[in-house]
Amino acid sequence: GAVVSQHPSRVICKSGTSVKIECRSLDFQATTMFWYRQFPKQSLMLMATSNEGSKATYEQGVEKDKFLINHASLTLSTLTVTSAHPEDSSFYICSARAGGTGRRLGYTFGSGTRLTVV
Amino acid sequence: QQQVKQSPQSLIVQKGGISIINCAYENTAFDYFPWYQQFPGKGPALLIAIRPDVSEKKEGRFTISFNKSAKQFSLHIMDSQPGDSATYFCAASMSDYKLSFGAGTTVTVRA
């Protein structure tokens, strides 16, 4: 089955620094990747959609200059939280969808990254 | 506003019992309805999914019932086991675009 690897699983950083989270599709090419944020005991909130080779589309209210997304290849998307502050502490999850025509493969999620900003 | 409304927020069921989670949607353009299972500290994992051209889909102990006219779909977990204790999310999407998630249901199975 489709596998998405997300790294790191946990990261603690100091306020004001930047953190990069990687999302890789291991056995399929992901033309589209999605980045979510999840607060404790809440649902997943879509932050942005990224398509390989083009700029990401951000959801309303998400600061694109703070959450930089790069989807440089068909197997890798990165989310960089710039100048992180304690309020950015959250659980970040990526999801990938395979491209191509024919039978849809659905959406595969990574295992998530717990970001703590101190 | 949430495009998919999910209930209940939480439920407790005895081992061997049936867990039922309900979802409702408004957008008739939705054409893909998956259910995800999430354990604490992990990403969601696809449990089962259905498309609007069928009214029911069963995979093992998990069944989706879909009512297109009522714009509702539900997940039934038969013979619930302690290992099923998790948070379940329904979702919907149209034409392979982004997923809209329900608020989630925390299921606790008591042994």
Side-chain angles (χ1 to χ4, degrees):
Chain A
V3 178
V4 172
S5 174
Q6 188 172 340
H7 181 80
S9 58
R10 289 177 177 272
V11 59
I12 300 173
C13 71
K14 291 186 177 181
S15 186
T17 62
S18 295
V19 173
K20 180 184 284 187
I21 302 170
E22 292 189 349
C23 181
R24 294 181 184 272
S25 56
L26 297 186
D27 50 2
F28 67 101
Q29 292 184 329
T31 55
T32 304
M33 287 188 174
F34 306 87
W35 287 95
Y36 296 85
R37 183 173 182 176
Q38 186 178 35
F39 291 106
K41 299 190 184 300
Q42 292 191 24
S43 188
L44 285 76
M45 182 187 78
L46 180 65
M47 299 174 65
T49 302
S50 73
N51 292 295
E52 184 265 337
S54 62
K55 288 186 177 181
T57 301
Y58 291 81
E59 295 298 300
Q60 192 172 14
V62 178
E63 299 176 61
K64 62 180 181 180
D65 293 331
K66 180 166 190 62
F67 299 100
L68 300 179
I69 292 171
N70 184 280
H71 192 163
S73 78
L74 285 171
T75 59
L76 174 65
S77 177
T78 60
L79 167 67
T80 300
V81 183
T82 63
S83 186
H85 288 94
E87 57 265 31
D88 298 325
S89 297
S90 190
F91 192 53
Y92 293 87
I93 310 170
C94 71
S95 173
R97 180 167 59 78
T101 58
R103 184 171 175 270
R104 288 186 281 190
L105 297 180
Y107 307 77
T108 303
F109 286 80
S111 55
T113 297
R114 171 73 59 196
L115 169 63
T116 303
V117 184
V118 298
Chain B
Q1 63 280 23
Q2 240 170 358
Q3 296 195 56
V4 181
K5 295 186 177 178
Q6 182 172 348
S7 63
Q9 186 175 10
S10 63
L11 68 91
I12 299 173
V13 62
Q14 292 295 121
K15 180 181 175 181
I18 302 173
S19 302
I20 301 174
I21 307 170
N22 300 299
C23 285
Y25 64 97
E26 286 298 324
N27 190 343
T28 54
F30 285 146
D31 60 2
Y32 177 67
F33 303 89
W35 284 89
Y36 290 89
Q37 179 188 57
Q38 185 180 30
F39 293 104
K42 301 293 183 184
L46 179 65
L47 202 57
I48 187 172
I50 199 168
R51 306 212 185 275
D53 52 344
V54 297
S55 60
E56 186 175 280
K57 182 175 181 179
K58 183 176 181 179
E59 288 185 2
R61 296 185 293 110
F62 301 94
T63 299
I64 298 180
S65 296
F66 186 82
N67 186 328
K68 189 174 181 179
S69 60
K71 292 185 284 185
Q72 295 175 348
F73 58 111
S74 61
L75 175 69
H76 294 226
I77 305 174
M78 314 298 285
D79 187 26
S80 296
Q81 299 296 312
D84 296 332
S85 296
T87 299
Y88 293 81
F89 293 96
C90 62
S93 75
M94 55 179 165
S95 302
D96 279 338
Y97 194 48
K98 56 186 178 181
L99 286 168
S100 294
F101 280 89
T105 298
T106 301
V107 174
T108 303
V109 181
R110 295 249 168 96

